[in-house]
Amino acid sequence: MAAFSFKLVSLAAGRLCRPGLAPLRALSCAAARRQLHRPEGSGALTGKVDRFGGVTVNLADIGLPADISESSFSNLLRDSLARWRAEGKVAVWLHVPISLSRCAAAAAAHGFTFHHAKQERAVLALWLGEGESRLPGFATHQVGVAGAVVDESNGNVLVVQDKNKTKNAWKFPGGLSDPGENIGATAVREVFEETGVHSEFRSLLSVRQQHNHPGAFGMSDMYIICRLSPLSYHINFCTQECLRCEWLPLAELAATSQTTPITARVARLLLHGLEHGFDSIDLAMEELPAVYSGMFYQLYHRQLPPPQKPSL
């Protein structure tokens, strides 16, 4: 049926564009071309339905004309919303590439609001269900990770002073975790990038939570410090990021005023671990299978004692 309709439209376009119909040619040919370029399923956009009853439409993937006008897209969206409401869909997620940003204005006229933006696209959302919107908000946290590289043979720890800070305080090397990067991998990577020292992940030591962080666009910030063991000891620090880099005795770092409160606190924690065993302070990582996704996640917790064998 779709092929038959397409053939009729094509024949009509040919008749409308004949020289003998010159007075109507410009308007009619343009209308025919617009009809030919409308997505399959005339008057409706196509999308993927999720398990929550929402529809996701990616405008970069559905074959819209590159020069589609704001009004033409608005008409398509209006018809699509009517269909989705009739089908009982609860929400629409609209992915708009930057090349079609004019479509965002058309979507706003139908009640869509910005949810988030990421590099080459913006994501708009519209709640169609009953009552107030139950759509999840966008991620509001950044994750910073630092690595405390401890040389257990002499009690030294690797520390740096940032170059572009108003106060040159000793701190553990670290930085922001990349999307999809495990905490331990971030710590190892950041330590190497800043100091040139290779290391391996041992445990998680502490988590700091801070809200309205001025360095995170006013979002919340999670700052995690990991314990690492050195695999090399030669320092070749990044002069663009660091002013100084040294191996300092943990006892000195815990007592000096030239550090931050969290660094001094973790230094005392590490001293306790050196004296009583790191199993008294470590939050070790264990990888476990996720129930629903078939993937794996990392769980950090104090190690449990081995199960006792039943007495005979």
Side-chain angles (χ1 to χ4, degrees):
M1 181 66 182
F4 180 69
S5 301
F6 180 86
K7 190 175 295 184
L8 286 178
V9 172
S10 300
L11 290 174
R15 286 196 298 271
L16 290 171
C17 294
R18 285 183 301 177
L21 299 174
L24 298 176
R25 182 171 57 192
L27 177 62
S28 301
C29 285
R33 283 194 298 270
R34 284 196 298 270
Q35 181 67 22
L36 285 172
H37 284 97
R38 297 187 79 172
E40 185 179 355
S42 177
L45 300 170
T46 57
K48 296 180 179 179
V49 179
D50 59 43
R51 62 190 179 98
F52 301 104
V55 181
T56 298
V57 180
N58 191 333
L59 299 188
D61 297 338
I62 61 174
L64 286 179
D67 61 346
I68 189 170
S69 68
E70 184 178 326
S71 60
S72 296
F73 176 75
S74 180
N75 292 336
L76 280 174
L77 185 58
R78 179 198 61 213
D79 295 343
S80 303
L81 289 172
R83 187 189 70 185
W84 290 325
R85 285 190 172 97
E87 293 173 351
K89 299 298 185 290
V90 298
V92 181
W93 300 92
L94 197 62
H95 292 242
V96 182
I98 195 168
S99 60
L100 291 173
S101 57
R102 60 190 174 277
C103 294
H110 290 280
F112 281 82
T113 57
F114 282 114
H115 187 265
H116 68 276
K118 187 176 180 180
Q119 295 179 331
E120 77 287 350
R121 73 177 188 273
V123 178
L124 284 69
L126 177 64
W127 176 252
L128 301 179
E130 296 181 357
E132 294 185 3
S133 173
R134 297 197 301 274
L135 295 177
F138 189 57
T140 57
H141 291 69
Q142 70 174 14
V143 178
V145 183
V149 187
V150 180
D151 184 351
E152 297 180 46
S153 68
N154 56 22
N156 288 344
V157 66
L158 187 65
V159 288
V160 298
Q161 288 184 0
D162 287 338
K163 187 173 184 179
N164 300 313
K165 297 290 185 181
T166 55
K167 181 181 178 181
N168 295 323
W170 289 116
K171 59 184 283 291
F172 302 120
L176 293 179
S177 187
D178 291 334
E181 185 177 46
N182 285 344
I183 291 169
T186 300
V188 168
R189 173 180 59 77
E190 286 288 342
V191 165
F192 177 72
E193 290 176 357
E194 291 191 9
T195 72
V197 172
H198 293 277
S199 61
E200 62 180 347
F201 174 79
R202 290 299 187 188
S203 71
L204 187 152
L205 293 171
S206 67
V207 180
R208 182 205 69 192
Q209 185 177 28
Q210 182 177 349
H211 302 294
N212 299 314
H213 194 289
F217 307 98
M219 298 193 304
S220 297
D221 175 77
M222 303 291 287
Y223 177 63
I224 299 170
I225 299 179
C226 301
R227 182 172 73 87
L228 309 179
S229 292
L231 298 176
S232 67
Y233 299 87
H234 175 70
I235 292 174
N236 181 22
F237 69 88
C238 175
T239 57
Q240 292 180 335
E241 294 189 41
C242 304
L243 184 67
R244 299 171 65 187
C245 178
E246 295 182 14
W247 290 98
L248 283 186
L250 273 169
E252 180 181 336
L253 184 63
T256 182
S257 61
Q258 296 182 347
T259 188
T260 64
I262 188 172
T263 304
R265 179 67 61 88
V266 172
R268 293 198 296 272
L269 185 68
L270 288 166
L271 281 173
H272 181 84
L274 279 174
E275 183 177 351
H276 300 282
F278 286 115
D279 58 343
S280 65
I281 65 170
D282 281 346
L283 296 178
M285 185 272 284
E286 185 177 1
E287 192 167 71
L288 299 172
V291 175
Y292 299 108
S293 64
M295 302 172 70
F296 290 84
Y297 61 84
Q298 292 74 43
L299 181 67
Y300 299 85
H301 61 88
R302 288 284 296 275
Q303 291 284 32
L304 296 172
Q308 295 182 349
K309 294 182 179 179
S311 57
L312 299 176

